[in-house]
Amino acid sequence: MMAQQTFCEISMSLDGYVAGPNADLDDPLGVGGEALHEWVISLEAWRKEHGHEGGEQNASTPVLNAALERTGAHLMGRRMFSGGEGPWADDAKANGWWGDEPPFHKPVFVVTHHGREPLTLGDTTFTFVTDGVESALDQAAEAARDKDVMISGGAAVAQQALAAGRVDDLLIHVAPLFLGGGVRLFENLGSTRPGLELTGAVDAPGVTHLTYRVVTER
C-alpha cells in the first residue's frame, strides 16, 4: 500500500492565474475566471458529483475520476469556501457556495482566522481550522484514513502548503486562455522553490492536464 499523499488539484490559465481580476461575491472567480472550468462542467463525472444527470466523457474523464477516487478529504481556504474574510456573522455566504448538498461527499477542512462549530450539509462536514495550514493538513490526513488529501484551493492555501513542504503532487488543469490579471497560483513561496518532475500530461478538449511530483527533499 502506498503511503498517504497530499496533492493540489486546481485549474489555471496559461499565464498562471487561478482566478481573474476584480473577484467579488457576485463574481467569485473574477473577470473571465469561469472560463478556467469550462472543460469540467460538461463532464458526466463532474455532473454526477454535483447531483446532475447527463454529461459527456472524453480524455478528461479518467483524470477527474482518478483524482476523485484517491481523495479521502479536502482542504480549502476561507475564500474558496465562502468568499468572506471577517467574522462569520457578517459573511453573506456563511454556509458556502454549494447549497444544502455540497459536491464533496467527504470531510472538508477550511483554513480560516475565525472559528466556528463544524457545519454538516448533506453528506459533507466542514471543519473550520484556525491554527494554520499544517494543522488543517494533519486533521485532513487523519480524516482521509487510507486515502489522500486534496488541496482544492485557493492559491493562498496551496502556496502555504508548498512553502511548508507538505505537497507531494500537483495536478494542474491548464486552460488555453490568458486572464491577464487576478490571483496567481505560484506566488508568495518565500525562499521555497520546489523541484518538480513531470509525471503525466494529458491533452483533452479545452484543457491540458499536467501532473508533477514535488521532488524537493523535505
Side-chain angles (χ1 to χ4, degrees):
M1 180 181 297
M2 292 183 60
Q4 185 186 67
Q5 295 187 320
T6 296
F7 72 107
C8 176
E9 187 258 2
I10 199 164
S11 292
M12 184 180 78
S13 67
L14 195 59
D15 53 347
Y17 294 96
V18 296
N22 303 319
D24 56 27
L25 289 178
D26 294 324
D27 194 5
L29 292 174
V31 177
E34 289 189 6
L36 293 172
H37 305 281
E38 288 183 354
W39 68 269
V40 73
I41 293 173
S42 63
L43 285 184
E44 179 184 29
W46 184 91
R47 294 181 63 80
K48 181 179 179 181
E49 289 291 305
H50 287 73
H52 304 308
E53 297 181 352
E56 65 183 56
Q57 298 188 32
N58 57 38
S60 290
T61 299
V63 176
L64 182 60
N65 283 341
L68 294 173
E69 175 59 30
R70 69 182 286 195
T71 300
H74 292 264
L75 187 76
M76 68 176 61
R78 167 73 180 274
R79 287 191 177 184
M80 179 175 176
F81 175 77
S82 71
E85 294 181 331
W88 290 103
D90 300 330
D91 194 327
K93 296 289 185 179
N95 286 352
W97 300 105
W98 303 280
D100 294 333
E101 296 290 339
F104 301 100
H105 314 297
K106 293 161 186 173
V108 179
F109 294 82
V110 181
V111 180
T112 174
H113 294 297
H114 300 272
R116 63 184 290 190
E117 292 299 310
L119 172 68
T120 298
L121 297 170
D123 59 359
T124 300
T125 295
F126 297 92
T127 299
F128 302 91
V129 182
T130 58
D131 53 349
V133 166
E134 294 204 64
S135 175
L137 283 168
D138 290 340
Q139 294 179 54
E142 183 175 358
R145 299 186 179 182
D146 60 343
K147 291 196 173 186
D148 296 334
V149 175
M150 177 194 286
I151 299 174
S152 303
V157 168
Q159 290 160 12
Q160 291 172 51
L162 276 168
R166 295 291 298 269
V167 179
D168 298 288
D169 294 292
L170 301 172
L171 174 55
I172 310 297
H173 311 296
V174 182
L177 60 95
F178 297 107
L179 291 180
V183 180
R184 285 192 182 275
L185 179 56
F186 298 117
E187 287 187 328
N188 304 313
L189 296 179
S191 60
T192 303
R193 293 294 182 272
L196 300 174
E197 176 187 344
L198 181 67
T199 59
V202 176
D203 185 27
V207 67
T208 300
H209 307 285
L210 300 176
T211 306
Y212 294 94
R213 179 179 296 117
V214 180
V215 296
T216 302
E217 293 185 2
R218 305 289 171 88

